[in-house]
Amino acid sequence: MAKSVEIGSRSFRTQKSALDHYKAVLHRYQDGHRVSDQGDHADLVALIERYDPVLDAVGEPTKGDGQIAHFERRLNTGTGWSSSGFWVVRQDGTDTDFSYIDAVKGQPKGRSQDFYGACRQAVALDLIQAKKQAFAQYGTTRGGSRAN
């Protein structure tokens, strides 16, 4: 049975339809641009207002903290990866990113996921260098491997 989702005044028949809606909002903007449509802004405020109590309940920092000024789409980057995402900018000028996927699902990443991310980040450069070395040593220009 499909799980319906209520976010603000919107009712989504399924969690997937809610995820699709927020993905479409994200894709309406370019990296570095402010969310300018009032409907999109209202939908994101409703999402944060739904998500913040979930974060607070597990001891995680809230995103909007009741002080949302506006939202932006920004490029998040790390060693060997990048992805576009939403950022909330608060009235005091502080900002933070958030996952619309986690917010719709109402599931914060938690400390174990944060630890996993930190560990992965710690070895990311070593992994990239090892891959480059393996491709240089064993790869061919046609994508196959060299026979030894």
Side-chain angles (χ1 to χ4, degrees):
M1 173 143 216
K3 180 179 179 181
S4 65
V5 178
E6 303 288 328
I7 301 173
S9 62
R10 286 192 180 267
S11 179
F12 298 95
R13 192 175 62 77
T14 64
Q15 191 175 78
K16 183 183 181 322
S17 64
L19 290 169
D20 289 344
H21 171 74
Y22 286 99
K23 182 178 183 178
V25 171
L26 180 66
H27 288 286
R28 280 197 278 276
Y29 299 93
Q30 298 295 316
D31 291 337
H33 289 178
R34 185 175 178 158
V35 173
S36 56
D37 181 85
Q38 288 303 311
D40 292 343
H41 176 85
D43 285 349
L44 290 168
V45 167
L47 183 60
I48 292 297
E49 287 175 346
R50 177 178 181 268
Y51 192 41
D52 273 354
V54 172
L55 293 171
D56 192 45
V58 296
E60 293 289 321
T62 57
K63 301 299 181 174
D65 203 27
Q67 301 294 319
I68 297 170
H70 67 273
F71 296 92
E72 298 176 2
R73 174 181 156 157
R74 296 183 189 172
L75 185 64
N76 301 310
T77 60
T79 304
W81 66 270
S82 64
S83 67
S84 297
F86 287 118
W87 282 68
V88 59
V89 180
R90 298 182 197 97
Q91 293 170 0
D92 64 2
T94 60
D95 56 7
T96 188
D97 65 333
F98 69 96
S99 165
Y100 75 86
I101 296 170
D102 292 342
V104 167
K105 291 181 177 181
Q107 297 175 337
K109 289 205 184 324
R111 302 225 191 281
S112 63
Q113 189 66 27
D114 288 342
F115 179 72
Y116 170 83
C119 290
R120 181 138 178 103
Q121 183 68 23
V123 299
L125 192 55
D126 293 333
L127 290 172
I128 290 169
Q129 290 172 340
K131 286 179 185 179
K132 285 181 180 180
Q133 183 180 2
F135 286 130
Q137 185 174 356
Y138 301 110
T140 68
T141 57
R142 293 183 293 154
S145 62
R146 297 182 191 148
N148 287 337

